[in-house]
Amino acid sequence: MALPTARVIALTPCGRPDARLVRAALHAGFPALLDLGADPSAARAALAELRELRGVGVRIGQAPMSPEDLPEGVDLVLLPAGADPAPWAPRTVLVEVTDVDQARAAVAAGADGLVATGWESGGVVGEETSFVLLQHLLAEVSVPIWVRGGLGPHAAAACVAGGAAGVVVDDPLLLTRECRAPGVLRDALPSMDGTETEVEDGVRLWRPRGRPSADPLPLGAGSAFAASLAREHRTVGGVLTAYTTTIDEDRRLARRLRPLAPDNALARRWGLRYPIAQGPMTRVSDRAAFAEAVCDAGGLAFLALSLMRGEAARSLLEDTAQRLAGRTWGVGILGFAPPELRREQLALLAEVRPPVVLIAGGRPSQARALEEQGIETWLHVPSPGLLSMYLAEGARRFVFEGRESGGHVGPRGSLALWEAQVEQLLRFDAVEEVSVLFAGGVHDGRSAAMVATLAAPLVARGARVGVLMGTAYLFTREAVETGAILPGFQEQARRCNRTTVLQTAPGHATRCVDSPYVRAFEAERRRLLAEGRDPQEVWAALETLNLGRLRIAAKGLVRRGDAIVPVDPDTQVRDGLFMVGQVAALHDELTTIAALHADVSEGSVRALRADDLPEPAVVAAPRRPRPVDVAIVGMACIYPDAPDLDAFWAHVLDGVDAIRDVPEERWSPRIFWDPESRGAEGGQTYARTGGWLPAIRFDPLAYGIPPRSLVSIEPVQLLALEVARRALADAGYDERSFDRDRTAVIFGAEAGTELAGAYGFRTLYRQYVGPLPPELDAVLPTFTEDTFPGVLANVIAGRI
């Protein structure tokens, strides 16, 4: 079997073999993977349900399965990392990987393609998020890569724009009509925001609250999108089609709008070349010369005040203000700093008046106070719930920073966070007032093109967007030349091939280089826990252990009593806490700030231009030929004595005879009925019974028809509209969007019924007899602008 060419592959969620979901995906034209799970009997039963279908794929899980156990119709196999692809040939074999080493091994073993399983996925995960893992793999291997983990439709578009072959969708399908998700999970999903799962020993799981005995389920951050996608698109096919449609639309928008191009709306507002901000990095962004170098290269520099106070803070601000007079620069402060320190820093900001302020952990009230002084103020917003609150309180400038960043990190990877925030903003009425900086894992043209694609719908609505970077600047020559960091820090960043997260307490985590200090930290953490210390005591001890470690790493300085003294390079490496983001593992060469900015902004435009468009939105999975390739997805009817589908089916089951005498209002048996007639003479009929439709309520305004036009429209046209509406509702299309450009209407109907006959009578009477008598003129329909379309049967499809 050839590799799937569709951008979207369905996977049954939660490690469960859901045959009905696979069947629905295949019927909608998408490749689908049946997760065989851990129960061999359940896996075999599901495979038996799908035996007649071609194009079925499977994901080999914990259930012991061999190639011989798979039926003939299984053409695609997804293996776990480390499995040998050779025995599964000639089937197409994809391998799941969570890091670069696994990817290299899989390709060397003969894998046809990879599934990059990001940190946000359910089940076995690594440390790299979907955003960074995709970038890392694309730089190392050349086989097609699909991405799985925390992806909504906009994030899927970003992945494809970045070079992925496509995405694997599992958790977002959980609330579709066909999915057989456990009841306890279906009940919980509508309130989930993606942070309800936890990684335990390298496995991401969800545990039902209040049910300690319930088995945990492998569930990822994509569960946050299940409720909204099911609400809008209803079915498996509807959700998967939404992904393919959004992938195409967002990429085309990004190519046309070039959201991160030089001199975009945000850059013009700042009076700078690029929509790029250098994020405030504690113990790094504390040199006026470094800020000047960033501004000289066309970006927005931020100083990091952190816990700085007194003369040191004043000197830094005044020096920077003097160097950058007339240009836009900024200051980053902590909204959760001790109140006395915060008041001191705010008073200093009011005095120096930097053009821009960024508040980490801040609130709209804090931003409002600065805005009233004419200082443009931005807020970090780590969740869609907070974003909704901040918008309601009048905030309009936001930083969305994903977990990929260095230093203190939040619970959401960039793509999952950005997806949720973009969807939230697209529902906001005044999105044109909003400005957004995307942060976390951005460092070059590819990553910026992915951001640009995801942000394109916001730009189309008038929002201003840019990116905020931190770790990428650690690889610039100016970082060392201006004294922002020592050469030893830069060398540690260049040698970094993986980052780690130090957790002092739940919700308190710091991303850094995997260094000797990390091992010392973990040893101390294990010791404290082994002694049974109180969690608050453990947190305090570990936070104290971290104090001053970043200054050792960045500046090679340590506090000895009341003095700050330098340390030797070996001590710097041993005792320093080197805060870097995940993209450090993607770099080992030095650059300049000017080259970095150009690569990100101008490089995003080049990457978008190189994106292969257009492409087929959906390619049907192979299947056995069928006599008629038609799927009935919705039904409706109006039959004699049966105003709807349920009534008709009940009549069929009950054997109801709906044949009745002709009603007088239809035609009069006194005039036309003759039991001896054979219909050949005199226009008589020997029958006086038939099937007659009941009265049907019809609301013309619901279809945009003026009530006065009803007398000029054949009843069959009106009934057709009503029945079509019901059939669409039965299929779920009244509550979900669908691609109307790829939808056709074919409707069979007979022309020339009562209304057409009445018009014909009016016309012919005048020709054969003469002027209409008043009594006939009063009851026959008159000609209006609605007459012609009102009697043509071929207008019905257009009305629908």
Side-chain angles (χ1 to χ4, degrees), residues 479-544:
V480 171
E481 292 169 357
T482 61
I485 57 174
L486 291 178
F489 193 137
Q490 193 170 70
E491 185 62 23
Q492 288 298 307
R494 293 178 65 182
R495 291 182 177 181
C496 175
N497 55 26
R498 65 180 295 270
T499 62
T500 190
V501 174
L502 302 185
Q503 183 165 304
T504 56
H508 296 264
T510 302
R511 183 174 302 284
C512 57
V513 173
D514 188 8
S515 66
Y517 172 68
V518 168
R519 290 181 279 281
F521 175 95
E522 291 298 339
E524 177 65 6
R525 181 172 178 270
R526 287 193 297 270
R527 184 186 70 80
L528 292 170
L529 292 175
E531 291 177 0
R533 301 287 189 93
D534 178 79
Q536 187 69 19
E537 186 180 356
V538 172
W539 170 79
L542 294 176
E543 288 289 341
T544 301

Side-chain angles (χ1 to χ4, degrees), residues 215-427:
D215 291 333
L217 293 173
L219 185 69
S223 56
F225 312 126
S228 60
L229 286 169
R231 189 163 51 246
E232 185 172 358
H233 304 290
R234 306 287 288 179
T235 64
V236 168
V239 171
L240 297 177
T241 299
Y243 272 80
T244 58
T245 301
T246 302
I247 288 172
D248 291 348
E249 290 178 350
D250 285 3
R251 290 162 65 207
R252 291 191 176 95
L253 270 179
R255 174 179 282 189
R256 177 168 60 85
L257 298 174
R258 306 190 310 163
L260 296 177
D263 303 311
N264 78 353
L266 184 59
R268 292 195 303 272
R269 178 181 178 86
W270 288 338
L272 299 170
R273 171 67 171 158
Y274 297 115
I276 298 173
Q278 163 259 309
M281 295 173 280
T282 302
R283 300 296 184 188
V284 174
S285 306
D286 56 1
R287 292 292 186 271
F290 182 59
E292 185 176 24
V294 172
C295 286
D296 286 346
L300 176 68
F302 274 107
L303 303 175
L305 282 191
S306 186
L307 301 180
M308 194 180 299
R309 63 194 315 167
E311 188 55 36
R314 176 179 294 277
S315 176
L316 175 61
L317 290 177
E318 290 180 347
D319 186 13
T320 306
Q322 183 177 2
R323 286 173 178 260
L324 300 179
R327 291 195 278 177
T328 304
W329 56 283
V331 176
I333 62 174
L334 303 176
F336 51 84
E340 181 183 349
L341 172 61
R342 187 169 65 246
R343 285 192 295 270
E344 179 182 328
Q345 290 182 344
L346 290 174
L348 188 55
L349 293 178
E351 182 180 340
V352 178
R353 300 179 73 82
V356 182
V357 166
L358 168 58
I359 310 177
R363 302 185 304 276
S365 59
Q366 296 170 323
R368 193 178 307 116
L370 291 166
E371 292 273 0
E372 290 171 354
Q373 300 175 47
I375 299 174
E376 179 182 301
T377 307
W378 295 71
L379 293 170
H380 274 274
V381 188
S383 74
L386 278 180
L387 178 59
S388 178
M389 293 170 53
Y390 286 10
L391 287 169
E393 293 182 45
R396 294 294 183 268
R397 297 185 181 93
F398 309 111
V399 176
F400 302 150
E401 184 174 77
R403 182 183 171 86
E404 293 85 341
S405 299
H408 298 291
V409 298
R412 293 175 174 84
S414 287
L415 291 178
L417 173 65
W418 297 343
E419 176 83 28
Q421 305 296 59
V422 165
E423 276 298 309
Q424 184 82 278
L425 287 176
L426 290 175
R427 293 191 291 269

Side-chain angles (χ1 to χ4, degrees), residues 8-33:
V8 177
I9 300 175
L11 169 66
T12 56
C14 299
R16 297 163 64 88
D18 188 343
R20 187 165 67 174
L21 189 149
V22 169
R23 183 183 296 274
L26 291 174
H27 285 172
F30 294 88
L33 294 162

Side-chain angles (χ1 to χ4, degrees), residues 39-73:
D39 183 350
S41 60
R44 292 190 178 91
L47 287 170
E49 286 188 55
L50 301 170
R51 187 172 295 277
E52 83 283 4
L53 294 178
R54 298 291 299 182
V56 176
V58 298
R59 180 191 190 209
I60 304 300
Q62 299 175 13
M65 283 282 173
S66 68
E68 292 73 26
D69 293 326
L70 301 183
E72 180 184 350

Side-chain angles (χ1 to χ4, degrees), residues 260-262 274 444-449 596-609:
L260 296 177
Y274 297 115
D444 64 359
R446 185 198 299 275
S447 57
L596 171 63
H597 288 175
D599 185 21
V600 169
S601 181
E602 297 163 21
S604 76
V605 177
R606 289 192 297 271
L608 292 172
R609 194 181 300 126

Side-chain angles (χ1 to χ4, degrees), residues 551 557-566:
R551 180 164 52 193
L557 299 173
V558 67
R559 179 177 292 278
R560 304 285 191 205
D562 293 333
I564 303 293
V565 299

